[in-house]
Amino acid sequence: MALKQFKPNTPGQRGLVLVDKSDLFKGKPVKKLTEGLNKAGGRNHSGKITMWQRGGGHKRRYRIIDFKRNKLDVSGIVERIEYDPNRSAYIALIKYDDKEFRYIIAPQRLSVGDKIISSNKADIKPGNCMPLSSVPVGTIIHNIELKPGKGGQLARSAGSYVQLIGKDLSYSILRLTSGEVRFVLSTCLCTIGAVSNPDNQNTNLGK
């Protein structure tokens, strides 16, 4: 998506650069896939402020994201791509063949109407989920588990990705965008592609 620049009609718009979200779904999220989100306001469990300058902000509903991708061998269609106020990446609403709806983190080049599947053997295309053992070396991946069945923990923010650079016995060798190299069990699941909204790093709030 393109970046959106503003004329400095007001002091707050001087240098303001935002991501153009005109292509995203403009309605409300699926109510069954949301839950309430309470603000801590910078306070800990005993009510004392432990992080200063926190408070206010817009009221949010938390979108329940399927990080585990444990619906195996059931294909789904992308119904829409949505904005999520709780994360920098966009999310995709998936309608599976058994009529169940789930949210996933939307990868780049995933569009409405695309088919995705989570399986031990699947095509190497954005949105498909499979174990690291089934992914060819050199592939760009995201939403990677660190323990089998725990759900994706690596590479979930906007524009992030990990490259599979090798395999060693029961482990896969991953290179993170920081340059760090990690060994992860090859039975852990991952999703093909890089995370959506790569222009998030180019925004400027003009402050």
Side-chain angles (χ1 to χ4, degrees), residues 32-34 62-76 84 87 90-96 98 100-107 116-119 127-130 142-145 149-156 189-191:
K32 287 185 178 179
L33 298 177
T34 63
Y62 179 76
R63 279 76 166 162
I64 301 169
I65 310 294
D66 181 19
F67 292 117
K68 294 189 175 182
R69 298 295 301 271
N70 52 8
K71 200 172 184 66
L72 298 176
D73 300 318
V74 181
S75 62
D84 187 350
R87 64 194 73 251
Y90 299 138
I91 58 175
L93 180 66
I94 309 299
K95 182 180 182 182
Y96 288 95
D98 58 1
E100 184 182 354
F101 286 92
R102 288 191 185 185
Y103 279 124
I104 66 165
I105 291 179
I116 65 165
I117 192 168
S118 181
S119 176
N128 281 354
C129 179
M130 63 192 78
H142 70 279
N143 191 40
I144 303 144
E145 291 181 331
K150 189 176 182 181
Q153 292 176 275
L154 281 182
R156 300 192 330 196
L189 293 177
C190 67
T191 308

Coordinates of all heavy atoms in Angstrom, one line a residue, residues 32-34 62-76 84 87 90-96 98 100-107 116-119 127-130 142-145 149-156 189-191:
K32 N -17.9 -12.5 17.2 CA -17.6 -13.7 17.9 C -16.0 -13.8 18.0 O -15.6 -14.6 18.9 CB -18.1 -14.9 17.2 CG -19.6 -15.1 17.3 CD -20.1 -16.4 16.7 CE -21.6 -16.6 16.9 NZ -22.1 -17.8 16.2
L33 N -15.3 -13.1 17.2 CA -13.9 -13.3 17.2 C -13.2 -12.1 17.9 O -12.0 -11.8 17.7 CB -13.3 -13.3 15.7 CG -13.8 -14.6 14.9 CD1 -13.3 -14.5 13.5 CD2 -13.3 -15.8 15.6
T34 N -14.0 -11.4 18.7 CA -13.4 -10.3 19.5 C -13.7 -10.5 21.0 O -14.6 -11.2 21.4 CB -14.0 -8.9 19.1 OG1 -15.4 -8.9 19.3 CG2 -13.7 -8.7 17.6
Y62 N -10.3 -6.4 21.3 CA -9.2 -7.3 20.9 C -9.7 -8.4 19.9 O -10.6 -9.1 20.1 CB -8.6 -8.0 22.1 CG -7.4 -8.9 21.8 CD1 -6.2 -8.4 21.4 CD2 -7.6 -10.3 21.7 CE1 -5.1 -9.2 21.1 CE2 -6.6 -11.1 21.4 CZ -5.3 -10.6 21.0 OH -4.3 -11.4 20.7
R63 N -9.0 -8.5 18.8 CA -9.3 -9.5 17.7 C -8.6 -10.8 18.1 O -7.3 -10.7 18.3 CB -8.9 -9.0 16.3 CG -9.8 -8.1 15.7 CD -9.8 -6.7 16.2 NE -10.4 -5.7 15.3 CZ -10.8 -4.5 15.7 NH1 -10.6 -4.1 17.0 NH2 -11.4 -3.7 14.9
I64 N -9.3 -11.9 18.2 CA -8.7 -13.2 18.5 C -8.0 -13.7 17.3 O -8.7 -14.1 16.3 CB -9.7 -14.1 19.1 CG1 -10.3 -13.5 20.3 CG2 -9.1 -15.5 19.4 CD1 -11.6 -14.3 20.8
I65 N -6.7 -13.8 17.3 CA -5.9 -14.2 16.1 C -5.5 -15.7 16.2 O -5.1 -16.1 17.3 CB -4.6 -13.4 15.9 CG1 -5.0 -11.9 16.0 CG2 -3.9 -13.7 14.6 CD1 -5.8 -11.4 14.9
D66 N -5.6 -16.4 15.1 CA -5.3 -17.9 15.1 C -3.8 -18.0 14.8 O -3.3 -18.0 13.7 CB -6.1 -18.6 14.0 CG -5.7 -20.1 14.0 OD1 -5.2 -20.6 15.0 OD2 -6.0 -20.7 13.0
F67 N -3.0 -17.9 15.9 CA -1.5 -18.0 15.8 C -1.1 -19.5 15.6 O 0.0 -19.8 15.1 CB -0.8 -17.4 17.0 CG -0.9 -15.9 17.0 CD1 -1.5 -15.4 18.1 CD2 -0.4 -15.1 16.0 CE1 -1.6 -14.0 18.2 CE2 -0.5 -13.8 16.1 CZ -1.1 -13.2 17.2
K68 N -1.9 -20.4 16.1 CA -1.6 -21.8 16.1 C -1.8 -22.5 14.7 O -1.1 -23.4 14.3 CB -2.4 -22.6 17.1 CG -2.0 -22.2 18.5 CD -2.7 -23.1 19.5 CE -2.2 -22.8 21.0 NZ -2.8 -23.7 22.0
R69 N -2.7 -22.0 13.9 CA -3.0 -22.5 12.6 C -3.2 -24.0 12.6 O -2.6 -24.8 11.8 CB -1.9 -22.1 11.6 CG -1.7 -20.7 11.3 CD -2.9 -20.0 10.7 NE -3.2 -20.6 9.4 CZ -2.7 -20.2 8.2 NH1 -1.8 -19.2 8.2 NH2 -3.1 -20.7 7.1
N70 N -4.0 -24.5 13.6 CA -4.1 -26.0 13.8 C -5.3 -26.6 13.2 O -5.7 -27.7 13.4 CB -4.1 -26.3 15.3 CG -5.2 -25.5 16.1 OD1 -6.0 -24.8 15.4 ND2 -5.2 -25.5 17.4
K71 N -5.9 -25.9 12.2 CA -7.0 -26.4 11.5 C -6.4 -27.1 10.2 O -6.3 -26.4 9.2 CB -8.0 -25.3 11.1 CG -9.4 -25.8 10.7 CD -10.3 -24.7 10.6 CE -11.8 -25.1 10.3 NZ -12.3 -25.9 11.5
L72 N -6.0 -28.3 10.4 CA -5.2 -29.0 9.3 C -6.1 -29.5 8.2 O -7.2 -30.0 8.4 CB -4.4 -30.1 9.9 CG -3.4 -29.7 11.0 CD1 -2.7 -30.9 11.6 CD2 -2.3 -28.8 10.4
D73 N -5.6 -29.5 7.0 CA -6.2 -30.1 5.8 C -7.6 -29.6 5.5 O -8.4 -30.3 4.9 CB -6.1 -31.6 5.9 CG -4.7 -32.1 6.0 OD1 -3.8 -31.6 5.3 OD2 -4.5 -33.1 6.8
V74 N -7.9 -28.4 5.9 CA -9.2 -27.7 5.6 C -8.9 -26.4 4.9 O -8.3 -25.5 5.6 CB -10.1 -27.5 6.9 CG1 -11.4 -26.9 6.5 CG2 -10.3 -28.8 7.6
S75 N -9.2 -26.3 3.7 CA -8.9 -25.0 3.0 C -9.9 -23.9 3.3 O -11.0 -24.2 3.7 CB -8.9 -25.3 1.5 OG -10.2 -25.6 1.0
G76 N -9.4 -22.7 3.2 CA -10.2 -21.6 3.5 C -10.0 -20.5 2.5 O -9.0 -20.4 1.7
D84 N -6.1 -3.8 12.3 CA -6.2 -4.2 13.6 C -5.5 -3.2 14.5 O -4.3 -3.0 14.4 CB -5.5 -5.6 13.8 CG -5.7 -6.2 15.2 OD1 -6.2 -5.5 16.1 OD2 -5.4 -7.4 15.4
R87 N -2.2 -4.2 16.7 CA -0.9 -4.7 16.1 C -0.6 -3.8 14.8 O -1.5 -3.2 14.3 CB -0.9 -6.2 15.8 CG -1.9 -6.6 14.7 CD -2.1 -8.1 14.7 NE -2.9 -8.5 15.9 CZ -2.4 -9.2 16.9 NH1 -1.2 -9.5 16.9 NH2 -3.2 -9.5 17.9
Y90 N -1.7 -6.1 9.3 CA -3.1 -6.2 9.0 C -3.5 -7.7 9.3 O -2.6 -8.6 9.4 CB -3.4 -5.9 7.5 CG -3.0 -4.5 7.1 CD1 -2.4 -4.2 5.9 CD2 -3.3 -3.4 8.0 CE1 -2.1 -2.9 5.6 CE2 -3.0 -2.1 7.6 CZ -2.4 -1.9 6.4 OH -2.1 -0.6 6.1
I91 N -4.8 -7.9 9.4 CA -5.3 -9.3 9.6 C -6.3 -9.6 8.5 O -6.9 -8.8 7.9 CB -6.0 -9.4 11.0 CG1 -7.1 -8.4 11.1 CG2 -5.0 -9.2 12.1 CD1 -7.9 -8.5 12.4
A92 N -6.4 -10.9 8.3 CA -7.2 -11.5 7.2 C -8.3 -12.3 7.8 O -8.0 -13.2 8.7 CB -6.4 -12.3 6.2
L93 N -9.6 -12.2 7.4 CA -10.7 -13.0 7.9 C -10.8 -14.2 6.9 O -11.0 -14.0 5.7 CB -12.0 -12.2 7.9 CG -13.2 -13.0 8.4 CD1 -13.1 -13.4 9.8 CD2 -14.5 -12.2 8.2
I94 N -10.6 -15.4 7.5 CA -10.7 -16.6 6.7 C -12.0 -17.4 6.9 O -12.4 -17.6 8.1 CB -9.5 -17.5 7.0 CG1 -8.2 -16.8 7.0 CG2 -9.5 -18.7 6.1 CD1 -7.8 -16.2 5.6
K95 N -12.7 -17.7 5.8 CA -13.8 -18.6 5.9 C -13.5 -20.0 5.4 O -13.2 -20.2 4.2 CB -15.0 -18.0 5.1 CG -16.3 -18.8 5.2 CD -17.4 -18.2 4.3 CE -18.7 -19.0 4.5 NZ -19.7 -18.5 3.6
Y96 N -13.5 -20.9 6.3 CA -13.1 -22.3 6.0 C -14.2 -23.1 5.4 O -15.4 -22.6 5.4 CB -12.6 -23.1 7.2 CG -11.2 -22.6 7.7 CD1 -11.1 -21.6 8.7 CD2 -10.0 -23.1 7.1 CE1 -9.8 -21.2 9.1 CE2 -8.8 -22.6 7.5 CZ -8.7 -21.7 8.5 OH -7.4 -21.2 8.9
D98 N -15.7 -25.6 6.3 CA -16.7 -26.1 7.3 C -17.5 -24.9 7.9 O -18.1 -25.0 8.9 CB -16.1 -26.9 8.3 CG -15.0 -26.2 9.1 OD1 -14.7 -25.0 8.8 OD2 -14.4 -26.8 10.0
E100 N -16.5 -22.2 9.3 CA -15.9 -21.6 10.5 C -15.1 -20.3 10.1 O -14.4 -20.4 9.0 CB -15.0 -22.5 11.3 CG -14.4 -21.9 12.6 CD -13.5 -22.8 13.3 OE1 -13.4 -24.0 12.9 OE2 -12.9 -22.4 14.3
F101 N -15.1 -19.3 10.8 CA -14.4 -18.1 10.6 C -13.2 -17.9 11.5 O -13.4 -18.3 12.7 CB -15.2 -16.8 10.7 CG -16.2 -16.6 9.5 CD1 -17.5 -17.1 9.6 CD2 -15.8 -16.0 8.4 CE1 -18.4 -17.0 8.6 CE2 -16.7 -15.8 7.3 CZ -18.0 -16.3 7.4
R102 N -12.1 -17.5 11.0 CA -10.9 -17.2 11.9 C -10.1 -16.1 11.3 O -10.1 -15.8 10.1 CB -10.0 -18.5 12.0 CG -10.5 -19.6 12.8 CD -9.5 -20.7 13.1 NE -10.0 -21.8 13.8 CZ -9.3 -22.8 14.2 NH1 -7.9 -22.8 14.0 NH2 -9.8 -23.9 14.8
Y103 N -9.4 -15.3 12.3 CA -8.5 -14.3 11.8 C -7.1 -14.8 11.8 O -6.7 -15.6 12.7 CB -8.6 -13.1 12.8 CG -9.7 -12.2 12.6 CD1 -10.6 -11.9 13.7 CD2 -9.9 -11.5 11.4 CE1 -11.6 -11.0 13.5 CE2 -10.9 -10.6 11.2 CZ -11.8 -10.3 12.3 OH -12.8 -9.5 12.1
I104 N -6.3 -14.5 10.8 CA -4.9 -14.8 10.8 C -4.1 -13.5 10.5 O -4.7 -12.5 10.0 CB -4.5 -15.8 9.8 CG1 -4.8 -15.3 8.3 CG2 -5.3 -17.1 10.0 CD1 -4.1 -16.2 7.3
I105 N -2.8 -13.5 10.7 CA -2.0 -12.3 10.3 C -1.9 -12.4 8.8 O -1.5 -13.4 8.2 CB -0.6 -12.4 11.0 CG1 -0.8 -12.1 12.5 CG2 0.3 -11.4 10.4 CD1 0.5 -12.2 13.2
A106 N -2.2 -11.3 8.1 CA -2.2 -11.2 6.7 C -0.8 -11.1 6.2 O -0.1 -10.1 6.6 CB -3.1 -10.1 6.2
P107 N -0.3 -12.0 5.3 CA 1.0 -11.8 4.7 C 0.9 -10.9 3.5 O -0.2 -10.6 3.0 CB 1.4 -13.2 4.3 CG 0.1 -13.9 4.1 CD -0.9 -13.3 5.0
I116 N -6.2 -20.5 1.1 CA -5.1 -20.9 1.9 C -5.4 -22.2 2.6 O -6.6 -22.6 2.7 CB -4.7 -19.8 3.0 CG1 -5.9 -19.7 4.0 CG2 -4.4 -18.5 2.3 CD1 -5.5 -18.9 5.2
I117 N -4.4 -22.9 3.1 CA -4.6 -24.2 3.8 C -3.4 -24.4 4.8 O -2.3 -23.9 4.6 CB -4.6 -25.3 2.8 CG1 -5.1 -26.6 3.5 CG2 -3.3 -25.6 2.1 CD1 -5.5 -27.7 2.6
S118 N -3.7 -25.1 5.9 CA -2.7 -25.5 6.8 C -2.5 -27.0 6.7 O -3.5 -27.7 7.0 CB -3.1 -25.0 8.2 OG -2.1 -25.4 9.2
S119 N -1.4 -27.5 6.3 CA -1.2 -28.9 6.1 C 0.2 -29.3 6.2 O 1.1 -28.4 6.1 CB -1.7 -29.2 4.6 OG -1.5 -30.6 4.3
G127 N 0.5 -17.3 2.9 CA -0.7 -17.7 3.7 C -0.8 -19.1 4.0 O -1.5 -19.5 5.0
N128 N -0.2 -20.0 3.2 CA -0.2 -21.4 3.6 C 0.7 -21.7 4.8 O 1.8 -21.1 4.9 CB 0.3 -22.3 2.4 CG -0.9 -22.4 1.3 OD1 -2.0 -22.0 1.6 ND2 -0.5 -23.0 0.2
C129 N 0.3 -22.7 5.6 CA 1.0 -23.0 6.8 C 1.4 -24.4 6.8 O 0.6 -25.3 6.3 CB 0.1 -22.7 8.0 SG 0.8 -23.1 9.6
M130 N 2.6 -24.7 7.2 CA 3.2 -26.1 7.2 C 4.4 -26.2 8.2 O 4.9 -25.2 8.6 CB 3.6 -26.5 5.8 CG 4.7 -25.6 5.2 SD 5.0 -25.9 3.5 CE 3.6 -24.9 2.8
H142 N 7.0 -16.5 8.1 CA 6.7 -15.6 9.3 C 5.8 -16.5 10.2 O 5.5 -17.6 9.9 CB 6.0 -14.3 8.9 CG 4.6 -14.5 8.4 ND1 4.3 -14.9 7.1 CD2 3.4 -14.4 9.0 CE1 3.0 -15.0 6.9 NE2 2.4 -14.7 8.0
N143 N 5.4 -15.9 11.4 CA 4.6 -16.5 12.4 C 5.1 -17.9 12.7 O 4.4 -18.9 12.5 CB 3.1 -16.6 11.8 CG 2.1 -17.0 12.9 OD1 2.3 -16.6 14.1 ND2 1.2 -17.9 12.6
I144 N 6.3 -18.0 13.2 CA 7.0 -19.3 13.4 C 6.9 -19.7 14.9 O 7.1 -18.9 15.8 CB 8.5 -19.1 13.0 CG1 8.6 -18.7 11.6 CG2 9.2 -20.4 13.2 CD1 9.7 -17.8 11.3
E145 N 6.6 -21.0 15.1 CA 6.5 -21.5 16.5 C 7.9 -21.7 17.0 O 8.9 -22.1 16.2 CB 5.8 -22.8 16.5 CG 4.3 -22.7 16.2 CD 3.6 -24.1 16.2 OE1 4.2 -25.1 15.9 OE2 2.4 -24.1 16.6
G149 N 3.1 -26.7 18.6 CA 1.8 -26.6 19.2 C 1.6 -25.4 20.0 O 0.4 -25.1 20.5
K150 N 2.6 -24.5 20.3 CA 2.4 -23.4 21.1 C 1.8 -22.2 20.4 O 1.3 -21.3 21.0 CB 3.8 -23.0 21.8 CG 3.6 -21.9 22.8 CD 5.0 -21.6 23.5 CE 4.8 -20.6 24.6 NZ 6.1 -20.2 25.3
G151 N 2.0 -22.2 19.1 CA 1.5 -21.0 18.3 C 2.7 -20.1 17.9 O 3.7 -20.1 18.5
G152 N 2.5 -19.4 16.8 CA 3.6 -18.6 16.2 C 4.0 -17.5 17.2 O 3.2 -16.8 17.8
Q153 N 5.3 -17.3 17.3 CA 5.9 -16.3 18.2 C 6.9 -15.4 17.5 O 7.1 -14.2 17.9 CB 6.6 -16.9 19.4 CG 5.7 -17.6 20.4 CD 6.4 -18.3 21.5 OE1 6.8 -19.5 21.3 NE2 6.6 -17.7 22.6
L154 N 7.6 -15.9 16.4 CA 8.6 -15.1 15.7 C 8.0 -14.5 14.5 O 7.1 -15.1 13.8 CB 9.7 -16.1 15.3 CG 10.8 -16.5 16.3 CD1 11.8 -17.3 15.6 CD2 11.4 -15.3 16.9
A155 N 8.4 -13.3 14.2 CA 8.1 -12.5 12.9 C 6.6 -12.4 12.8 O 5.9 -13.0 12.0 CB 8.6 -13.3 11.7
R156 N 6.0 -11.5 13.7 CA 4.5 -11.3 13.6 C 4.2 -9.8 13.4 O 3.1 -9.5 13.1 CB 3.9 -11.7 14.9 CG 4.0 -13.2 15.2 CD 3.2 -13.7 16.3 NE 2.8 -12.8 17.4 CZ 2.3 -13.2 18.6 NH1 2.2 -14.5 18.8 NH2 2.0 -12.3 19.5
L189 N 5.4 -25.3 13.3 CA 4.7 -24.7 12.1 C 5.2 -23.3 11.8 O 5.7 -22.6 12.7 CB 3.2 -24.7 12.4 CG 2.5 -26.0 12.5 CD1 1.0 -25.8 12.9 CD2 2.6 -26.9 11.3
C190 N 5.0 -23.0 10.5 CA 5.3 -21.6 10.1 C 4.4 -21.3 8.9 O 3.8 -22.1 8.4 CB 6.8 -21.5 9.6 SG 7.2 -22.4 8.1
T191 N 4.3 -20.0 8.6 CA 3.5 -19.5 7.5 C 4.4 -18.9 6.4 O 5.3 -18.2 6.7 CB 2.5 -18.5 8.0 OG1 1.8 -19.0 9.1 CG2 1.4 -18.1 6.9

